[in-house]
């Protein structure tokens, strides 16, 4: 399962409240997303607008440590290129190592909200593959400061992201697949996919990966639809399609409760088929609420 750090001002209990109901399913690991800074404009007393950089959901590393301590289960922090210099990334990885967190999901991250395209930090990593290279170098005992001698190698297991329906910036699937293969060749040990609602897309993606020579586990990402609004929001936010049968099932619902049931039923059917077809593990995007995931998991595990 993947959880989000709570909004600034909330405490760790909200995280435990999300995870507690799901622990009976014995998740082998719990992912914690990373949220980069956003720019907001605040009015000054003089009436001017002041641009401020804020992180609304800080705490990924602390939450991972708390999860491992509280539940004795592996926590996987998401680490991103955006907003970090390589030095800052190295420092963050050192913190993780000291905390005994030796799994990471290495991602590029998206553009800052209201910016048209992703721009790396000066002296930062540009693509996820660059981040993978940096972690691999630390696993070989090489730090950025070449004067650091005889360093203890870190032991990170590195996951990367994959997109059954293509990453929205990639010119085509073949190009995206080549970049994915390069991330694996660089040291990615497994792939977690973007959410999808049509299993055929996942199966086709796995087949294409295998043809490309990618042999690592490919973990399907799933999310139960719980509101009618998500029919518009999810395709826009994640560049994914929602199959017409699911759209029909949701549109004919009479109220919010029925929509939720239809979304959960769909996700249960997806999960059952994926397990039957041998998916290595299922990854649920909880998006901060465990109820729907619990309903699905109780039918599968
Ligand atoms: P990359 O692998 O770097 O790919 C980005 C784009 O560049 C692709 O189109 C790719 O084809 C292309 N590309 C790659 N390498 C090259 C190259 N060398 N030259 C030219 N083009 C290249 N975002 C967050 O901010 N925080 C999170 O916690 C988070 N968690 C996620 C978890 C999962 C499972 C997934 C699937 C996504 C997650 N994201 C998260 C979103 C992710 O950061 C965005 O989708 C981002 O736009 C791409 O990240 P990436 O790691 O796939 O990038």
């Amino acid at each position: 399962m993947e959880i989000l750090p709570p909004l600034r001002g909330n405490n760790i209990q909200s995280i435990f409240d999300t995870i507690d109901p799901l622990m009976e399913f014995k998740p082998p690991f719990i992912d914690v997303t990373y949220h980069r800074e956003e720019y907001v404009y605040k009015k000054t007393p003089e009436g001017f607008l002041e641009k401020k950089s804020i992180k609304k959901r800080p705490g990924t590393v602390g939450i991972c440590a708390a999860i491992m301590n509280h539940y004795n289960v592996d926590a996987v922090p998401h680490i991103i290129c955006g907003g970090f210099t390589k030095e800052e990334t190295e420092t963050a990885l050192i913190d993780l190592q000291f905390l005994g967190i030796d799994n990471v999901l290495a991602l590029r991250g998206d553009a800052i909200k209201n910016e048209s395209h992703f721009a790396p930090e000066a002296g930062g990593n540009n693509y996820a593959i660059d981040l993978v290279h940096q972690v691999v170098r630390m696993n070989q005992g090489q730090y950025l400061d070449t004067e650091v001698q005889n360093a203890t190698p870190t032991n990170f297991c590195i996951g990367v992201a994959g997109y059954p329906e293509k990453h929205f910036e990639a010119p085509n699937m073949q190009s995206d697949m080549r970049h994915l293969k390069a991330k694996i060749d660089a040291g990615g040990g497994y792939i977690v996919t973007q959410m999808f609602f049509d299993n055929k897309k996942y199966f086709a993606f796995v087949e294409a990966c295998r043809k490309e020579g990618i042999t690592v586990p490919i973990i399907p990402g799933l999310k139960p639809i719980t509101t009618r609004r998500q029919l518009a929001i999810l395709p826009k936010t994640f560049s994914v399609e929602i199959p017409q049968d699911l759209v029909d099932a949701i549109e004919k619902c009479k109220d919010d409760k029925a929509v939720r049931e239809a979304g959960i039923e769909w996700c249960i059917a997806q999960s059952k088929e994926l397990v039957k077809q041998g998916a290595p593990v299922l990854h649920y995007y909880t998006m901060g609420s465990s109820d729907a995931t619990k309903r699905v998991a109780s039918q599968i595990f």
Side-chain angles (χ1 to χ4, degrees), residues 2-3 5 31-36 60 77-81 105-111 118 126-131 160-164 166-173 175-180 182-183 191-195 219 221 237-238 283 285:
E2 175 180 303
I3 59 159
D31 276 59
V32 184
T33 54
Y34 187 89
H35 298 258
R36 68 177 303 182
T60 301
H78 292 189
I79 56 171
I80 64 170
C81 304
L105 191 70
L107 302 145
R108 187 194 68 179
D110 281 321
F118 175 84
N126 204 348
Y127 289 107
I129 189 172
D130 304 319
L131 190 50
V160 297
Y163 302 82
K166 187 180 89 60
H167 183 258
F168 71 101
E169 289 168 26
N172 57 54
M173 196 68 198
S175 157
D176 209 22
M177 186 57 73
R178 287 202 181 144
H179 292 308
L180 178 58
K183 284 195 284 194
I191 296 166
V192 184
T193 78
Q194 183 55 279
M195 67 181 71
I219 299 174
T237 312
F238 300 106
H283 178 96
Y285 292 99

Side-chain angles (χ1 to χ4, degrees), residues 190-210:
Y190 65 97
I191 296 166
V192 184
T193 78
Q194 183 55 279
M195 67 181 71
F196 58 87
F197 298 91
D198 179 351
N199 283 356
K200 285 203 277 313
K201 298 202 167 152
Y202 168 78
F203 296 132
F205 178 68
V206 172
E207 202 183 320
C209 286
R210 301 305 180 220

Side-chain angles (χ1 to χ4, degrees), residues 15-273:
I15 289 295
F16 294 154
D17 290 345
T18 305
I19 297 176
D20 279 347
L22 300 172
M23 284 314 287
E24 66 178 279
F25 307 110
K26 299 192 173 45
F29 57 90
I30 298 173
D31 276 59
V32 184
T33 54
Y34 187 89
H35 298 258
R36 68 177 303 182
E37 72 281 13
E38 291 175 31
Y39 290 121
V40 292
Y41 290 88
K42 299 226 161 161
K43 223 175 192 167
T44 66
E46 297 78 32
F48 295 116
L49 284 178
E50 191 184 13
K51 189 177 177 186
K52 283 207 156 204
S53 162
I54 55 162
K55 275 191 182 154
K56 290 189 176 167
R57 293 181 183 272
T60 301
V61 173
I63 290 170
C64 285
I67 288 174
M68 289 183 45
N69 194 27
H70 194 77
Y71 298 104
N72 196 22
V73 63
D74 271 345
V76 185
H78 292 189
I79 56 171
I80 64 170
C81 304
F84 284 84
T85 63
K86 286 184 190 163
E87 281 73 18
E88 287 163 344
T89 296
E90 186 173 282
T91 304
L93 289 165
I94 289 170
D95 278 341
L96 294 176
Q97 187 204 12
F98 289 163
L99 287 165
I101 298 169
D102 49 16
N103 290 282
V104 289
L105 191 70
L107 302 145
R108 187 194 68 179
D110 281 321
I112 296 181
K113 254 186 208 160
N114 304 330
E115 290 194 349
S116 63
H117 62 278
F118 175 84
E121 204 67 11
N125 291 308
N126 204 348
Y127 289 107
I129 189 172
D130 304 319
L131 190 50
V132 174
H133 282 306
Q134 181 171 7
V135 183
V136 166
R137 276 194 295 272
M138 285 180 69
N139 279 349
Q140 294 162 347
Q142 293 167 34
Y143 284 69
L144 294 170
D145 179 355
T146 49
E147 284 179 19
V148 175
Q149 297 282 316
N150 302 320
T152 315
T154 54
N155 186 27
F156 288 107
C157 170
I158 311 163
V160 297
Y163 302 82
E165 299 179 61
K166 187 180 89 60
H167 183 258
F168 71 101
E169 289 168 26
N172 57 54
M173 196 68 198
Q174 195 185 1
S175 157
D176 209 22
M177 186 57 73
R178 287 202 181 144
H179 292 308
L180 178 58
K181 170 80 161 61
K183 284 195 284 194
I184 300 304
D185 290 346
Y190 65 97
I191 296 166
V192 184
T193 78
Q194 183 55 279
M195 67 181 71
F196 58 87
F197 298 91
D198 179 351
N199 283 356
K200 285 203 277 313
K201 298 202 167 152
Y202 168 78
F203 296 132
F205 178 68
V206 172
E207 202 183 320
C209 286
R210 301 305 180 220
K211 269 198 188 132
E212 192 71 24
I214 296 172
T215 56
V216 298
I218 303 173
I219 299 174
L222 297 168
K223 166 169 170 40
I225 288 188
T226 50
T227 65
R228 208 180 289 264
R229 247 163 54 91
Q230 287 171 355
L231 287 184
I233 293 171
L234 297 176
K236 187 165 172 247
T237 312
F238 300 106
S239 302
V240 293
E241 276 193 14
I242 300 185
Q244 191 54 40
D245 285 351
L246 177 53
V247 175
D248 288 344
I250 285 179
E251 280 183 346
K252 72 171 192 238
C253 290
K254 296 213 166 55
D255 54 27
D256 294 349
K257 192 166 172 269
V259 167
R260 207 177 149 73
E261 289 305 309
I264 288 172
E265 280 310 315
W266 186 275
C267 192
I268 290 171
Q270 269 193 286
S271 304
K272 282 187 173 162
E273 188 184 26

